[in-house]
Amino acid sequence: MVAPRSVAVVTLGCARNEVDSEELAGRLAAAGWELVDDAENADVAVVNTCGFVEQAKKDSIDVLMEAAELKDDSSARTQAVVAVGCMAERYGEQLADSLPEADAVLGFDSYADLSSHLDAILHGEKPKSHVPVDRRTLLPLTPTARRSADVAVPGHAQDPVIIGDLPSGVAPVSGPRVFRARLDDRPWAPLKLASGCDRRCTFCAIPAFRGAFLSRRPAEVLTEARWLGERGVKELFLVSENSTSYGKDLGDIRLLETLLPELTEVEGVDRVRVSYLQPAELRPGLIDAIAGTDGVAPYFDLSFQHSSNAVLRRMRRFGSTEDFLGLLRGIRERSPQAGIRSNVIVGFPGETEADLEELAGFLTEARLDVVGVFGYSDEDGTEAATLEGKLSADEVAMRLAHITGLVEELTAQRAEERIGERVTVLVEGPDEDDPGTMVGRAAHQGPEVDGQVLLPGVEAAPGDWVEAVVTESLGVDLVATPAELVGTRPAAAVKSAG
């Protein structure tokens, strides 16, 4: 009997990439490939790269190089390494020329037939490297006309036909097919609402390689949510490039407000979390839906980027310190314990010292739970790269250090303010450094980047819910004493406990 071909899908970057990787894994499993965890145990290593910022691109190159080295390791099974994902889509042939160790560099258009490409590589063929194109040009300018376009969009799995039955664990036994295979057993999972972006922020290259904004239909989202719920997922993490735009191309900009209650009714799912909200597009109705729907985490991932109106205009964004503080007041009036996170860029071309201090003042008053701080650097193909008023690398580094230090102090203070709060924690597993302490997240904490709750001495399994009272803060992390342990919580109870 011939051993099945094996493949490892290695994911870098954001939660949106994780969804894309699981779609690829589902397609490959349906085509007869055995999915394995480690590249050294796979015939082919597929590296889903990130092309967002310079460090992410460097990390992608490093992982590709490490995987390529396995081909020369006699103890490893690896025969080929393939680059996919955002960096492959963005740079294509350029990446292939600079990284001959990779056996192929494939773009999004190759995803539907990835199995054939991998087969060809194992038979000594070398697929033509992806030729990049501005993917915004592939869809009609009018959002409502985009549904009829035949364009590959990762994570949407538009192709409805697979010949034969899909393997167990890849799709439901009946009903619409789900092109996804879980690559981990975490009790939460990202679920893609949409792809692409219609905004034209001067610093961002994402729309050029991710394309124009395209929503998934609610039926598709709900089908995949049910599939995830059947596989032990307790929390859905809704992702996109801009969740506030969801539904605009389907003729209903308020569609997310009606979809959220339906998602909370999915069997097995206790909590739904929305990410990637644009402050300038955040409608009162959507705030109400997030803050007031049982089973939806009162969590607001707001992409402020700056607060100085002058800098925001140069970024081609909208808002100001006053506008953003008013938005935060409105959120906290509805949900005093809401979790609020954001990202900011310092050292943007033309940023004055007064702009920087305005940003510092905004952050001080905003009381955000988590803030990602990035120093500006030119990105290929962006308008910001052509702007005047560039600051020196040393000056950007100084400003980055200043705001980062401030943010660390402010977010630690915000965590300390939560001492005494009652929280509902989704247990994710034991602490790596202390197996006697379980680790999880409360409603105000998004996955992986927003801090965590430590539960010393708690006996629980991943996916359990623990009601607890916060007793201590450690930076942005919290320590809590359990009030009770429950295996499955009704959505309403999860929401009301914060």
Side-chain angles (χ1 to χ4, degrees), residues 18-92:
E18 293 183 22
V19 177
D20 297 349
S21 285
E22 293 198 346
E23 179 198 328
L24 289 177
R27 290 184 178 278
L28 291 171
W33 290 80
E34 177 188 1
L35 302 177
V36 299
D37 294 333
D38 298 322
E40 63 181 342
N41 297 325
D43 295 313
V44 183
V46 174
V47 180
N48 190 357
T49 60
C50 179
F52 179 41
V53 293
E54 199 60 37
Q55 184 58 51
K57 289 182 278 189
K58 181 181 182 302
D59 292 343
S60 295
I61 293 292
D62 290 344
V63 171
L64 284 164
M65 292 292 293
E66 290 172 5
E69 291 173 0
L70 293 173
K71 293 188 293 182
D72 298 324
D73 186 342
S74 60
S75 65
R77 181 171 174 170
T78 313
Q79 301 176 51
V81 174
V82 175
V84 297
C86 291
M87 190 175 182
E89 176 65 36
R90 184 177 181 184
Y91 293 104

Side-chain angles (χ1 to χ4, degrees), residues 33 146 199 212 215 262 323 447 450 471 489:
W33 290 80
R146 294 172 185 168
R199 301 182 70 88
S215 301
E262 294 184 72
D323 292 337
D450 285 358
T471 58
R489 294 191 51 75

Side-chain angles (χ1 to χ4, degrees), residues 97-151:
D97 290 342
S98 63
L99 193 68
E101 293 86 355
D103 296 278
V105 175
L106 303 176
F108 297 154
D109 294 334
S110 299
Y111 282 19
D113 197 28
L114 185 61
S115 175
S116 296
H117 290 298
L118 300 191
D119 271 332
I121 292 167
L122 288 180
H123 284 89
E125 300 177 25
K126 188 172 180 66
K128 184 179 179 181
S129 297
H130 169 64
V131 178
V133 63
D134 187 337
R135 296 191 73 84
R136 291 171 293 190
T137 65
L138 302 182
L139 289 170
L141 185 62
T142 304
T144 54
R146 294 172 185 168
R147 306 305 308 181
S148 59
D150 184 18
V151 177

